Amino acid sequence: MKKQLFSIALGAALVSCGPSVPQLGKASLDDVIAAMTLEEKGHLIVGTGMAGFSGDSAVIGETRKLVPGAAGTTYPIERLGIPAVVLADGPAGLRINPTRDGDSATYYCTHFPIGTLLASTWDQELVENVGKAIGNEVLEYGADVLLAPALNIHRNPLCGRNFEYYSEDPVVAGKIAAAYVRGVQSNGVGTSIKHFAANNQETNRMGTDAHISPRTLREIYLKGFEITVKESAPWTVMSSYNYLNGIYTSENKELLTTLLRDEWGFGGMVMTDWFGGKNVVAQMEAGNDMLQPGTDKQYEAIVQAVKDGRLDEAILDRNVKRILEMILQTPHFKGYKFSNKPDLKAHAAVTRQSATEGMVLLKNDNSALPLAADVKNVALFGCTSYDFIAGGTGSGNVNRAYTVSLLDGLNNAGYTVDDALKAAYEQYLASEKDRLAKTKKEWFMPDVRPAEMALTPQTIQEQAAKADVALITLGRTSGEFLDRKLSDFNLSREETEMLQAVCKTFHAAGKKVVVVLNIGGVIETASWKAQPDAILCAWQAGQEGGNSVADVLSGKASPSGKLPMTFPVKFDDAASSANFPIDMTANIDITNAGDKKSDVKNVDYTDYEEGIYVGYRYFDSFGKAVSYPFGYGLSYTTFEYANPAIKADNGIYTVTVDVKNTGKAAGKEVVQLYVSAPGNAAMEKPEKELKAFAKTRELQPGEAATVTLTVKAADLASYDEASSSWVVDAGNYKFLIGASSRDIKAALGADVAAATQKTNDILKLQTPLNLLKK
Ligand code: BGC
């Protein structure tokens, strides 16, 4: 790379003589592009290579530090006034290095709640505000584009990156992602919505081929991206690593041009995921404008392809233009003087408060929560209570200054935790972590958590005598490169024993047991949920996690989150579990995707045979029992739904319902609107589908609010592959107002007229799938 830079420098020096060299922002883009050498175009397309990994940007003849720890930079061309701009992860906050060589200042960022928690708030305004705070850190630390949000569908509980993603439902994923994008971009920085598309497993993520029918794609895996593109205009889209129906997404013109740009009207730039795809000519032609982080090999291949006539330079110019359009909007281009001092204190308050609103109260027998006023002494069990998990690993991690554990959070809230128990856990954790750190091969791989510490009956007995209540935290972590294992979904023997023993002993002493789930994805709950008095799914709640949980436990905040996915009874119950890599070895080669193979099922290829029946669309259509349904979540208060009504006006259906707080505490309620389409003999229809949702403001006891939800007739369409159209069948549709997918409060009917919208006939399967049918 160095040698090349030198020769480009020479060439550039020759070209740059004279005052008439067009400058970005001053001359027209076409003039700037016309002044670029082929080599300069090649470099702009591929970025600055691995240097970008440490935030270094290659500049002609030197290397300049931009934002260390950022994932990548674009290639600067100073003679044309084109600066390097900085691309940095990620979904839970800005990921950069917290310290720098020879610099005593620190560059910590706020670790906000994980994507799944944000989606569990079902609150678009709240997510937009979190996005605003994240975007402010992007701006003030000198980055330009945040590599987030990540909105792939939770197809299966075991996907290792579900924590970064939002939901099993595309409307939730799309609306939440759009809110996040609006918030981040309100700072004048960009986003990159990812991973487009169908990156639903981590196992062999760079070599696996997702076999998905066009209908399933359009209705499930692409819908959230469509909503986000249309409702928030993200600056960039990141293509995914995987193949989709035989073609790498980054090489797929139907996906990146016909669908994304022509059908949806996307006007921004597309970049690869890091080292994604293989054939640069196909990538350029597909409309994958930029290759990140960029390698010498890619650069050489592009330049050579133009020289050989295998790649039309006009295509390169088109892609270069899109990159320049993006650069023109950036703080770096505009010369923004960033402070390196975002208001971390204010953002800590944002994450602490927003996290409480995405926590889901799964069980609360006899009002075990909030903890009664006379509860002072807490018996705190579970390693994770003392070593709270802020978020997942890999590019979704954030280098934060601290993580508030549940222990710290409880202490801050005035509770007392037994010193002896604390000492035992801390000692155990220190030795286990030391041991496990030695087994970790790469920094970016998911952490291995210590097994639960064994407790003697005597220890539990002593605690039950002393404490007012028992809290048990169950923890899980995961990250990119690996899917979770079945053993991670199920409770371990040690966890089961701890739960049983603590519940038995505390209940015998007339004391309650509360379980806190500090998890990034779905776990098994059906076999043990009867034992504790209350279960709070706190997710991975960011750096203030322990404080946020304590706010909820103490009743300072009322939980108002609801599940954006189903908790099945057993892992096998999910329809996708029949075609998911379970306990397979991962491919961790991040720089070189292997040759396309097709032999090992669920590793080299995955058949999405469940089709549209993902999550509640499956469980509800097939009448399967679940542990906790989609959209479910309790509150410290209760709500009554009254006066449901529907109005149709020019293809817009407006549903209203009065929600009244009938309990004794203040609270917010998430209201969901599902639609059940009339039967169609020729087409599978899910029993119901979510079409809109809203959250009330905080309602005081006795207070009511009217919730309004709107659905457009076009939103009622299913995708018909035979005619490659979105088709709304004529008939009477049921509009179901629900507190969850299994708690429908009112059903309204409306007659809907037939409508059809033709699309391109694209993204077809190469071989037919044996699709699940009702
Ligand atoms: C991840 C992306 C991330 C990129 C840059 C990849 O491994 O899949 O989500 O943005 O790295 O860090």
Side-chain angles (χ1 to χ4, degrees):
M1 180 68 99
K2 276 251 168 68
K3 231 201 236 148
Q4 265 165 23
L5 286 176
F6 184 66
S7 54
I8 289 166
L10 262 183
L14 293 176
V15 188
S16 69
C17 311
S20 61
V21 183
Q23 296 293 299
L24 184 67
K26 297 202 177 88
S28 75
L29 284 181
D30 290 338
D31 286 348
V32 173
I33 295 167
M36 289 173 85
T37 64
L38 172 61
E39 288 72 17
E40 284 171 338
K41 292 175 191 172
H43 278 300
L44 191 64
I45 293 283
V46 305
T48 52
M50 282 304 279
F53 252 65
S54 53
D56 299 347
S57 157
V59 181
I60 319 287
E62 64 170 293
T63 297
R64 183 177 61 191
K65 292 265 182 210
L66 281 177
V67 182
T73 54
T74 63
Y75 190 87
I77 306 170
E78 295 199 327
R79 71 178 191 93
L80 299 172
I82 304 173
V85 306
V86 177
L87 318 168
D89 291 305
L94 181 66
R95 186 177 65 86
I96 58 173
N97 291 347
T99 53
R100 296 175 186 176
D101 287 347
D103 181 349
S104 60
T106 56
Y107 300 82
Y108 287 108
C109 297
T110 307
H111 197 315
F112 291 87
I114 57 167
T116 298
L117 185 150
L118 291 181
S120 303
T121 67
W122 298 67
D123 187 338
Q124 296 167 70
E125 203 180 310
L126 175 143
V127 174
E128 193 167 329
N129 281 331
V130 171
K132 264 187 203 150
I134 295 177
N136 175 262
E137 295 192 14
V138 175
L139 180 71
E140 291 306 334
Y141 277 131
D144 298 283
V145 177
L146 183 75
L147 305 172
L151 63 143
N152 296 93
I153 291 292
H154 289 171
R155 172 177 176 250
N156 186 273
L158 294 190
C159 172
R161 291 186 90 170
N162 276 354
F163 73 96
E164 294 179 70
Y165 305 154
Y166 294 129
S167 177
E168 68 187 21
D169 180 87
V171 172
V172 176
K175 296 277 178 190
I176 295 294
Y180 182 104
V181 169
R182 286 193 298 269
V184 172
Q185 292 193 171
S186 70
N187 291 277
V189 297
T191 55
S192 194
I193 64 172
K194 65 190 189 183
H195 309 88
F196 191 58
N199 185 176
N200 304 104
Q201 70 184 54
E202 286 299 290
T203 305
N204 192 24
R205 66 179 183 172
M206 295 181 114
T208 195
D209 188 359
H211 296 166
I212 313 179
S213 77
R215 178 180 179 193
T216 307
L217 272 172
R218 296 253 187 188
E219 293 186 16
I220 308 291
Y221 297 101
L222 298 172
K223 194 59 169 181
F225 286 96
E226 180 182 355
I227 293 170
T228 314
V229 164
K230 290 181 175 170
E231 295 189 4
S232 67
W235 287 14
T236 79
V237 167
M238 186 190 290
S239 53
S240 59
Y241 281 130
N242 50 287
Y243 294 87
L244 173 58
N245 294 337
I247 306 171
Y248 267 130
T249 58
S250 64
E251 300 174 8
N252 193 328
K253 189 172 174 188
E254 291 184 345
L255 182 72
L256 301 184
T257 297
T258 316
L259 183 84
L260 180 64
R261 295 177 189 279
D262 301 347
E263 284 193 26
W264 296 353
F266 176 66
M269 190 208 83
V270 177
M271 69 176 93
T272 56
D273 197 348
W274 267 228
F275 302 105
K278 245 193 260 166
N279 179 339
V280 294
V281 173
Q283 288 176 315
M284 289 301 98
E285 288 176 343
N288 195 118
D289 309 299
M290 190 161 76
L291 310 179
Q292 277 292 334
T295 64
D296 289 354
K297 230 170 100 191
Q298 287 171 320
Y299 162 80
E300 281 151 20
I302 289 175
V303 170
Q304 202 51 50
V306 175
K307 286 185 178 160
D308 296 350
R310 281 177 294 116
L311 174 61
D312 184 349
E313 194 164 353
I315 286 177
L316 211 57
D317 290 350
R318 176 198 68 182
N319 299 355
V320 162
K321 192 170 184 175
R322 292 180 187 146
I323 298 173
L324 293 178
E325 281 166 348
M326 184 274 289
I327 292 175
L328 271 173
Q329 305 180 68
T330 60
H332 256 108
F333 177 76
K334 293 179 178 166
Y336 181 73
K337 299 267 175 295
F338 52 92
S339 64
N340 275 328
K341 287 192 173 49
D343 190 345
L344 296 178
K345 231 173 150 185
H347 295 169
V350 172
T351 182
R352 175 172 179 166
Q353 190 272 334
S354 55
T356 63
E357 301 217 14
M359 293 184 181
V360 187
L361 185 61
L362 296 175
K363 174 177 181 178
N364 197 17
D365 279 5
N366 303 315
S367 302
L369 290 177
L371 298 173
D374 58 356
V375 168
K376 293 278 173 279
N377 296 313
V378 175
L380 191 57
F381 296 102
C383 291
T384 313
S385 299
Y386 299 84
D387 182 27
F388 224 52
I389 305 164
T393 57
S395 61
N397 180 37
V398 180
N399 295 311
R400 58 203 171 269
Y402 61 86
T403 302
V404 178
S405 68
L406 184 52
L407 169 74
D408 300 337
L410 290 169
N411 284 334
N412 294 343
Y415 295 101
T416 306
V417 174
D418 183 68
D419 278 341
L421 191 58
K422 174 181 148 198
Y425 270 110
E426 288 183 340
Q427 196 185 2
Y428 172 76
L429 274 170
S431 70
E432 276 299 280
K433 281 189 132 184
D434 230 33
R435 187 178 68 76
L436 291 169
K438 290 185 192 125
T439 67
K440 188 160 165 169
K441 289 199 188 76
E442 310 276 3
W443 68 267
F444 48 76
M445 294 300 283
D447 295 332
V448 182
R449 307 268 310 165
E452 220 20 274
M453 183 177 89
L455 297 160
T456 63
Q458 193 197 346
T459 305
I460 303 174
Q461 201 73 58
E462 280 167 15
Q463 291 298 320
K466 282 197 269 188
D468 302 315
V469 69
L471 290 188
I472 303 174
T473 306
L474 299 177
R476 291 289 184 278
T477 188
S478 70
E480 61 184 306
F481 303 104
L482 280 184
D483 288 311
R484 293 168 57 209
K485 293 201 162 21
L486 199 49
S487 55
D488 200 68
F489 176 82
N490 292 317
L491 261 47
S492 66
R493 183 178 48 81
E494 292 87 348
E495 286 172 329
T496 308
E497 285 172 5
M498 168 177 69
L499 249 165
Q500 276 171 354
V502 171
C503 288
K504 216 169 128 212
T505 314
F506 271 71
H507 287 161
K511 291 173 184 173
K512 291 180 176 163
V513 180
V514 176
V515 171
V516 174
L517 302 180
N518 185 197
I519 57 180
V522 176
I523 63 165
E524 188 274 321
T525 49
S527 72
W528 58 268
K529 66 182 180 183
Q531 297 173 43
D533 302 274
I535 307 172
L536 178 71
C537 178
W539 297 122
Q540 292 162 349
Q543 68 184 40
E544 288 282 329
N547 282 335
S548 305
V549 174
D551 287 344
V552 171
L553 297 177
S554 67
K556 192 173 151 201
S558 181
S560 58
K562 292 200 179 183
L563 295 176
M565 82 294 278
T566 311
F567 275 48
V569 174
K570 293 194 305 302
F571 170 73
D572 287 339
D573 289 349
S576 61
S577 293
N579 289 290
F580 192 84
I582 300 158
D583 297 355
M584 301 274 196
T585 345
N587 168 349
I588 57 156
D589 182 354
I590 59 163
T591 57
N592 190 14
D595 283 329
K596 181 151 168 37
K597 293 193 222 89
S598 54
D599 41 347
V600 186
K601 192 173 177 229
N602 300 332
V603 174
D604 297 320
Y605 69 95
T606 299
D607 289 336
Y608 286 43
E609 285 178 321
E610 72 284 356
I612 55 169
Y613 292 118
V614 177
Y616 71 91
R617 281 174 171 75
Y618 170 70
F619 293 108
D620 292 2
S621 304
F622 289 77
K624 263 215 121 99
V626 300
S627 188
Y628 295 110
F630 175 80
Y632 169 86
L634 303 171
S635 161
Y636 290 158
T637 189
T638 47
F639 299 98
E640 190 182 270
Y641 289 56
N643 306 322
I646 185 164
K647 235 178 41 204
D649 185 15
N650 226 349
I652 309 253
Y653 298 88
T654 306
V655 171
T656 50
V657 65
D658 295 338
V659 176
K660 184 174 175 188
N661 181 345
T662 50
K664 291 198 186 78
K668 299 179 180 180
E669 170 71 334
V670 173
V671 180
Q672 300 148 44
L673 181 63
Y674 298 87
V675 173
S676 192
N680 174 341
M683 207 194 231
E684 288 284 315
K685 295 271 182 174
E687 194 252 338
K688 63 166 107 55
E689 293 183 280
L690 185 82
K691 295 295 173 186
F693 59 89
K695 192 168 193 171
T696 66
R697 62 172 193 275
E698 184 166 86
L699 297 175
Q700 297 305 317
E703 200 186 351
T706 302
V707 172
T708 305
L709 299 149
T710 54
V711 180
K712 292 199 283 298
D715 298 338
L716 304 174
S718 301
Y719 189 76
D720 175 41
E721 290 178 8
S723 64
S724 50
S725 321
W726 287 102
V727 176
V728 182
D729 290 328
N732 193 266
Y733 285 66
K734 284 202 182 63
F735 288 73
L736 311 167
I737 303 171
S740 81
S741 87
R742 297 257 169 127
D743 185 8
I744 301 303
K745 304 287 189 184
L748 304 159
D751 289 328
V752 175
T756 307
Q757 197 203 343
K758 184 91 186 127
T759 72
N760 294 290
D761 186 13
I762 51 173
L763 303 169
K764 285 191 267 200
L765 282 165
Q766 292 190 335
T767 44
L769 280 182
N770 185 17
L771 283 174
L772 179 64
K773 290 195 172 59
K774 261 196 288 194

